[in-house]
Amino acid sequence: MTHLNSKVAVVTGAARGIGAATAARLALDGATVAVIDLDETQTKETADAIVSAGGSAMAVACDVSDEAAVAEAAERIRAEAGSIDVLVNNAGVLRDNLLFKMSLSDWDTVMSVHLRGSFLWAREAQKTMVQNRWGKIVNLSSTSALGNRGQTNYSAAKAGLQGFTKAMALELGPFNVNVNAVAPGFIVTEMTRATAARTGVDFEEMQERGAANIPLRRVGRPEDIANVVSVLCSEDTSYVTGQVIYVAGGPKA
Ligand code: NAP
């Protein structure tokens, strides 16, 4: 597919996991992809892999919660690639704890990366989208938006992203900009591996137990999310906006 030929896509948190798979998929769809992440070396490795596979990519190290860094990164992308046409707000962190043990800093970190980061990137990205009367924004929510023990911070942020998505869809619809959210269930990445390690559960065992409770009887792969993001960035879904698509092997995981 080449539905994103001549388009420029920004994917945050794209050095690994769901973000890296999404960046690779959008490059396959024809986009020039700006791979955004904290670590410069890892970010460059992901961008290099896309280029080696025949795609077009640039590595941009940036903390999504830093206003000046986001403005500078967006300016660089606009200068070098011409515009920002697609934005995937994917960067994420976990700081799980029960409410009575959760520090303010763990609350703030989760809000900063997911909500503040998505806001800062969306505010930058909409500039050329509105100008060109064409844009696609996809925000990564989670089944945790429905509530998850030990994740008051993360659940609030992921539910917040759903509201953010719907409000933006109302504002940007008149400019032909589609804004949707994808809410994954259990996806095998470093994030879920770290949760297994933190809780002292063998990761393979965690996947087996997870799969048993999922209607499709398997846990998800980063590509399962990347594929849906790709469809949401295609003209086939150009009449879909303000929606939350659960990608969880069932109605919810
Ligand atoms: P991951 O493997 O941990 O990847 C997340 C990436 O985001 C990491 O490379 C991380 O960099 C980067 N990042 C963190 N803070 C950042 C910041 N301030 N600025 C720029 N980049 C930053 O996670 P994943 O599983 O692929 O998850 C991707 C998204 O999907 C997240 O929003 C997550 O909440 C959501 N999600 C995941 C699952 C799942 O089961 N995996 C389920 C539902 C939703 P560092 O490593 O340097 O921190």
Side-chain angles (χ1 to χ4, degrees):
M1 274 205 281
T2 50
H3 60 261
L4 293 178
N5 266 350
S6 81
K7 302 293 188 199
V8 180
V10 168
V11 185
T12 70
R16 65 172 196 227
I18 293 169
T22 301
R25 176 56 203 253
L26 298 185
L28 210 60
D29 292 339
T32 293
V33 181
V35 176
I36 310 286
D37 213 295
L38 287 171
D39 183 273
E40 196 155 7
T41 310
Q42 258 192 313
T43 305
K44 197 170 171 322
E45 279 168 12
T46 303
D48 287 348
I50 291 173
V51 173
S52 299
S56 174
M58 61 194 284
V60 184
C62 164
D63 177 348
V64 300
S65 65
D66 179 333
E67 185 180 23
V70 171
E72 193 184 315
E75 194 44 50
R76 188 184 140 198
I77 295 162
R78 284 190 292 262
E80 289 182 25
S83 71
I84 297 173
D85 308 298
V86 172
L87 168 66
V88 184
N89 277 317
N90 167 83
V93 289
L94 293 180
R95 292 290 185 274
D96 295 357
N97 221 330
L98 293 174
L99 176 64
F100 77 101
K101 290 196 274 189
M102 188 175 289
S103 68
L104 179 59
S105 125
D106 283 349
W107 174 271
D108 286 344
T109 299
V110 168
M111 293 304 147
S112 290
V113 177
H114 296 269
L115 286 176
R116 182 183 161 102
S118 297
F119 157 70
L120 290 173
W121 267 108
R123 195 176 57 172
E124 285 297 331
Q126 59 80 35
K127 292 178 184 170
T128 47
M129 292 178 180
V130 166
Q131 218 169 53
N132 300 334
R133 298 290 192 272
W134 197 97
K136 310 281 180 191
I137 298 177
V138 181
N139 297 313
L140 265 289
S141 179
S142 165
T143 49
S144 294
L146 302 167
N148 201 19
R149 190 178 150 81
Q151 292 195 318
T152 48
N153 49 1
Y154 186 75
S155 296
K158 291 308 198 186
L161 280 170
Q162 296 192 6
F164 179 61
T165 298
K166 288 172 189 292
M168 262 202 300
L170 293 174
E171 291 188 22
L172 298 177
F175 301 99
N176 193 34
V177 176
N178 300 68
V179 189
N180 291 292
V182 171
F186 187 149
I187 309 297
V188 176
T189 66
E190 285 308 312
M191 183 178 270
T192 37
R193 186 186 297 278
T195 298
R198 192 180 54 78
T199 53
V201 179
D202 176 72
F203 192 40
E204 297 301 321
E205 197 185 313
M206 183 192 242
Q207 290 179 55
E208 276 168 34
R209 271 201 257 148
N213 290 316
I214 293 170
L216 285 176
R217 294 289 184 270
R218 71 167 176 87
V219 292
R221 299 174 295 258
E223 291 71 23
D224 290 316
I225 306 306
N227 292 341
V228 177
V229 173
S230 167
V231 170
L232 287 171
C233 293
S234 77
E235 289 314 295
D236 286 345
T237 55
S238 63
Y239 204 51
V240 178
T241 196
Q243 301 305 305
V244 180
I245 318 282
Y246 283 86
V247 185
K252 65 184 180 73

